[in-house]
Amino acid sequence: NNYLFNQLNCHNKQKKLISLKSNESKIYRPSITNNKITLVFELNNTLIYSTIGYCATSDFRFNLNSSRGIIRYSIFLRPHIKNVLFKLSQNFDLIIFTTTSQDFADRVLSVIDPFQTIFSQRYYRHHCHVNKENNQFIKVFNMIEKPISEIFVVDTSFDSTHLSLNNVIPIIPFLGNVNDIELLELESFLSNGLKKPDFHHFISQFFQIEDLKTSTSAENLNEKVYINLSKESNQYRKMLKQKEINLST
């Protein structure tokens, strides 16, 4: 799968960049210090799928003003999102860090987390650093008052963060499939990880993404990374389930 290979190559290039500019901004909510492991979620294609224009089958719709005029967005919620996020919030500190605008994200979060009880903090596009070479938004986590070893990013992309790849928990992109069960799989996987003596070691050994930096084989990437964009996703899930069993023994 060339997608995964390209993602890792992009991540390696990003790590070498020195010249990054940061948009100064006030943090949305104060950092909360606790003993829970922090999970940082992206919105687009991780928790939701959005499309421009009216779509009758979407879960909800809203309009936003832009320089191009009023834009209507149709939003599809990833199946099981509310139940899974509630369960995860009992054992993890959940944070939103999205490359979308604050106006867009807050409208979505007003549905996902209307009482602001799920996510302890919110960060947006204007909290990202900007890669001068390609204007890509990069998430940097120095404003989160936690050791890096306790911060994990749930995302579909490897090149959107400066964290070690061992801190990335990949998830198959959500594109509106009503039969998607990835959040259920994620909740089960993370709950099992909390039972391990060292959560960080469990994650890094399970995915082994950091070890793939020097890999030149796309086939090897597919064997070790949870994300799989091909039609054989069920086959990969079975393989990973078996690997999880092996790691626990």
Side-chain angles (χ1 to χ4, degrees):
N1 191 319
N2 290 329
Y3 173 83
L4 294 176
F5 184 64
N6 291 335
Q7 289 283 345
L8 288 169
N9 282 338
C10 288
H11 185 278
N12 292 337
K13 292 178 182 178
Q14 296 291 354
K15 297 278 281 188
K16 296 178 182 178
L17 289 175
I18 299 175
S19 178
L20 289 173
K21 66 180 181 179
S22 176
N23 293 304
E24 303 239 342
S25 175
K26 183 178 180 180
I27 300 302
Y28 180 81
R29 297 176 69 186
S31 180
I32 297 177
T33 302
N34 56 45
N35 296 322
K36 294 180 180 180
I37 291 170
T38 294
L39 295 180
V40 182
F41 282 86
E42 173 59 75
L43 273 179
N44 266 340
N45 300 124
T46 299
L47 296 178
I48 67 164
Y49 172 67
S50 64
T51 183
I52 295 177
Y54 178 84
C55 183
T57 59
S58 61
D59 291 289
F60 63 97
R61 296 160 290 279
F62 58 83
N63 297 334
L64 284 182
N65 291 320
S66 73
S67 58
R68 296 176 292 168
I70 297 177
I71 299 178
R72 166 163 284 198
Y73 291 94
S74 293
I75 308 297
F76 297 81
L77 297 177
R78 195 161 204 162
H80 315 288
I81 179 173
K82 293 188 177 181
N83 185 42
V84 167
L85 289 179
F86 175 77
K87 288 182 178 180
L88 289 176
S89 68
Q90 305 305 299
N91 298 306
F92 295 89
D93 177 27
L94 304 189
I95 291 176
I96 280 289
F97 198 158
T98 177
T99 56
T100 63
S101 69
Q102 180 170 347
D103 287 343
F104 176 91
D106 282 346
R107 290 294 293 271
V108 173
L109 290 170
S110 68
V111 175
I112 297 176
D113 186 19
F115 303 108
Q116 299 185 18
T117 56
I118 300 298
F119 297 105
S120 66
Q121 301 170 65
R122 299 179 183 182
Y123 300 99
Y124 311 93
R125 178 185 296 164
H126 59 265
H127 293 121
C128 295
H129 287 193
V130 181
N131 177 357
K132 289 183 177 180
E133 291 187 359
N134 58 15
N135 291 322
Q136 183 176 7
F137 296 103
I138 307 298
K139 301 168 188 172
V140 180
F141 299 88
N142 53 4
M143 63 282 210
I144 299 177
E145 298 174 1
K146 287 281 189 70
I148 293 299
S149 62
E150 297 179 13
I151 302 174
F152 295 86
V153 179
V154 181
D155 205 332
T156 62
S157 174
F158 298 114
D159 62 342
S160 64
T161 173
H162 273 189
L163 287 182
S164 163
L165 289 173
N166 282 339
N167 293 72
V168 177
I169 301 173
I171 188 169
I172 294 173
F174 174 59
L175 301 176
N177 178 13
V178 296
N179 297 315
D180 185 283
I181 61 169
E182 295 306 317
L183 288 181
L184 292 178
E185 296 284 346
L186 177 69
E187 193 274 328
S188 175
F189 171 74
L190 293 174
S191 296
N192 184 49
L194 284 179
K195 301 174 184 177
K196 310 301 179 185
D198 186 334
F199 184 84
H200 187 274
H201 178 74
F202 172 73
I203 295 296
S204 62
Q205 289 298 304
F206 185 83
F207 293 112
Q208 299 181 3
I209 305 177
E210 192 72 30
D211 295 339
L212 301 177
K213 279 184 173 182
T214 58
S215 174
T216 58
S217 170
E219 289 75 19
N220 288 339
L221 300 183
N222 285 338
E223 290 176 0
K224 299 179 180 179
V225 179
Y226 183 72
I227 282 186
N228 170 48
L229 304 180
S230 70
K231 294 180 180 180
E232 294 82 25
S233 60
N234 287 333
Q235 177 182 346
Y236 279 90
R237 184 178 293 111
K238 290 179 182 178
M239 178 198 70
L240 291 170
K241 285 287 189 183
Q242 183 59 47
K243 186 173 184 181
E244 181 177 341
I245 293 173
N246 294 338
L247 283 173
S248 64
T249 57

